Amino acid sequence: MSKRLPCIVSGLLAACSLAAAPGDQTLRQAAGNRFLVGCALSPNDLTDPKHAALIGKQFSVLTAGNDFKPENLQPSLGRFTFDAADQFVAFAQANDMKVVGHTLLWHSQAPKFLFQDESGQPLPREQALANMKEHITKVVTHFKGRVIGWDGVNEGVDDAGPYLRQTPALKAIGEDYIQKAFEYAHAADPSVELYYNDYNIEKPYKFPKALRLLTALKDANVPIHGVGIQGHYLVSDTKAIDELDKAIGAFAELGLKVMVTELDVDVLPRKASGADVTLREQGADLYKDGLPADVAQKQGQYYADIFKVLLKHPGVVTRVTFWGTHDGTSWLNNWPVRGRTNHGLLWQRDLTPKPAFNAIIDVLNAK
Ligand code: XIL
């Protein structure tokens, strides 16, 4: 029998682990030393002891779903708030889990004052660079030694345009804001890994732009260690898995580690592919009363196929992180359609494992 001992760390319930019995294998056990397995969560997820125990048992690395984003760490100019993020790190450490920081720079959930004046105009380049340097330096220094890697820049490549997204940072600083962000982060903590993170960069419409950016960064000797493929998939997208395989190979050729950083498999219909947080749409809420068994099986197969691809790239794929744990915690309940009952993750709302969980364990054990 696997045994769980509850313990209290920094006011949060932590799950102290003893070895699990055969047949009760966890994701982190099944993955072994091939790659880290993680999830994103918020401190609220840790207030339910059963849920906290599941997290402490299943995963080897955590990402904060929101707490490390710029608007939460620097809510007003020069005022940094680390309390929630520090509690999060304490939970991870108490459960022998690593932490990844998400994210130093993003166009969303970022305070406007970093790159814009009060009327919304871009700040002068030198001022924007100074603000960016201050944010990155303070944050990376604060978590030094407690975070293994940072998403240095999130979603810098554009969907519709020819190359980079026209973010407030780009408008104020220019295209080299990405290079500068990595350099500032590296200067603050030379031992922390730095990643470029984005969605749909394995899709034919976006892959060449991402490859151009990553190649340019590598050619300029920018301190970048890996690329995060977010992995917000749709169960109806049958091309995605092959595209993922090819993209991992191409990114590895640049000498980058590859991570799947925000994995979920949406079963509800939507127009948006990827994960542009600015998109909103209407859509049917098909499975309000639960996920039909055949759809759950199909989703399980999809997850299994993803993991088969990841195992094809040993030493390259270093982490897989799910964007949540049970379906009730998923951002897909509110994106791109608000207020649906979605089912993109590995556990049902009552923490029962879904077919997808078992399918992944089987794939990990077959190799
Ligand atoms: C999401 C969070 O999960 C939500 O709670 C928040 O309201 C919006 O952001 N891509 C990313 C993540 O890089 O930061 C996003 O997280 C999901 C899409």
Side-chain angles (χ1 to χ4, degrees):
M1 271 298 283
S2 88
K3 290 232 161 48
R4 316 293 314 163
L5 301 176
C7 56
I8 302 289
V9 178
S10 298
L12 295 171
L13 189 66
C16 304
S17 56
L18 297 177
D24 189 18
Q25 211 182 17
T26 66
L27 289 173
R28 74 182 285 178
Q29 288 169 335
N33 58 12
R34 289 175 289 186
F35 43 71
L36 297 169
V37 187
C39 72
L41 51 96
S42 69
N44 282 348
D45 295 323
L46 304 172
T47 54
D48 169 12
K50 240 179 105 186
H51 192 193
L54 179 144
I55 293 161
K57 189 166 83 164
Q58 293 291 339
F59 299 102
S60 46
V61 60
L62 294 182
T63 306
N66 290 302
D67 292 311
F68 286 56
K69 290 175 180 171
E71 71 173 6
N72 290 323
L73 294 184
Q74 192 182 175
S76 57
L77 187 62
R79 188 171 68 84
F80 288 80
T81 50
F82 291 115
D83 289 357
D86 284 342
Q87 284 203 359
F88 180 86
V89 173
F91 173 83
Q93 289 178 333
N95 289 284
D96 185 30
M97 290 185 276
K98 300 180 189 308
V99 176
V100 170
H102 171 79
T103 171
L104 294 174
L105 229 50
W106 190 23
H107 63 88
S108 182
Q109 293 179 276
K112 297 210 183 336
F113 56 74
L114 286 180
F115 304 115
Q116 291 176 353
D117 66 19
E118 278 170 9
S119 57
Q121 292 305 304
L123 290 177
R125 173 178 160 94
E126 289 312 315
Q127 198 179 337
L129 274 174
N131 287 350
M132 186 171 89
K133 184 175 187 183
E134 168 80 355
H135 182 82
I136 289 177
T137 305
K138 275 259 163 57
V139 168
V140 171
T141 304
H142 179 84
F143 292 104
K144 202 170 179 168
R146 297 187 293 153
V147 161
I148 57 164
W150 276 99
D151 290 338
V153 174
N154 195 31
E155 301 177 359
V157 172
D158 205 15
D159 287 307
Y163 186 30
L164 298 183
R165 187 188 285 265
Q166 296 298 302
T167 63
L170 184 142
K171 286 179 187 162
I173 296 170
E175 289 193 352
D176 64 341
Y177 86 93
I178 296 180
Q179 166 167 353
K180 295 280 183 200
F182 281 94
E183 287 170 357
Y184 294 151
H186 184 68
D189 183 357
S191 61
V192 81
E193 287 194 341
L194 299 172
Y195 319 123
Y196 175 74
N197 192 56
D198 210 335
Y199 63 85
N200 277 1
I201 47 175
E202 64 277 47
K203 291 254 160 239
Y205 85 91
K206 205 166 176 179
F207 171 75
K209 298 182 249 188
L211 198 63
R212 176 177 161 192
L213 171 65
L214 296 167
T215 305
L217 294 174
K218 287 298 286 184
D219 285 351
N221 282 323
V222 172
I224 175 170
H225 308 95
V227 54
I229 297 174
Q230 290 187 4
H232 294 289
Y233 295 116
L234 276 160
V235 77
S236 54
D237 181 359
T238 50
K239 296 193 180 135
I241 289 159
D242 190 42
E243 291 163 352
L244 172 68
D245 193 10
K246 292 200 176 96
I248 295 173
F251 296 149
E253 275 181 31
L254 292 178
L256 293 167
K257 298 178 178 180
V258 182
M259 283 136 252
V260 177
T261 54
E262 305 185 14
L263 185 56
D264 45 32
V265 177
D266 198 345
V267 293
L268 289 176
R270 69 175 201 233
K271 290 191 213 81
S273 83
D276 184 344
V277 290
T278 64
L279 297 178
R280 289 273 166 258
E281 59 183 81
Q282 304 294 315
D285 194 4
L286 295 181
Y287 309 128
K288 272 191 281 202
D289 300 326
L291 191 61
D294 59 325
V295 185
Q297 288 300 335
K298 193 171 164 196
Q299 183 189 46
Q301 187 58 52
Y302 202 96
Y303 268 114
D305 291 343
I306 290 171
F307 273 76
K308 280 181 200 157
V309 164
L310 303 182
L311 291 173
K312 279 171 70 179
H313 301 274
V316 172
V317 175
T318 55
R319 172 169 60 94
V320 185
T321 291
F322 298 86
W323 207 244
T325 52
H326 70 75
D327 287 331
T329 65
S330 171
W331 78 302
L332 293 174
N333 296 309
N334 287 301
W335 182 89
V337 180
R338 284 203 194 278
R340 291 200 288 192
T341 303
N342 216 330
H343 304 267
L345 295 169
L346 301 190
W347 287 271
Q348 296 182 34
R349 286 163 171 76
D350 65 0
L351 299 180
T352 314
K354 293 162 65 182
F357 174 83
N358 296 316
I360 292 171
I361 294 279
D362 286 349
V363 170
L364 290 172
N365 282 323
K367 279 252 181 174

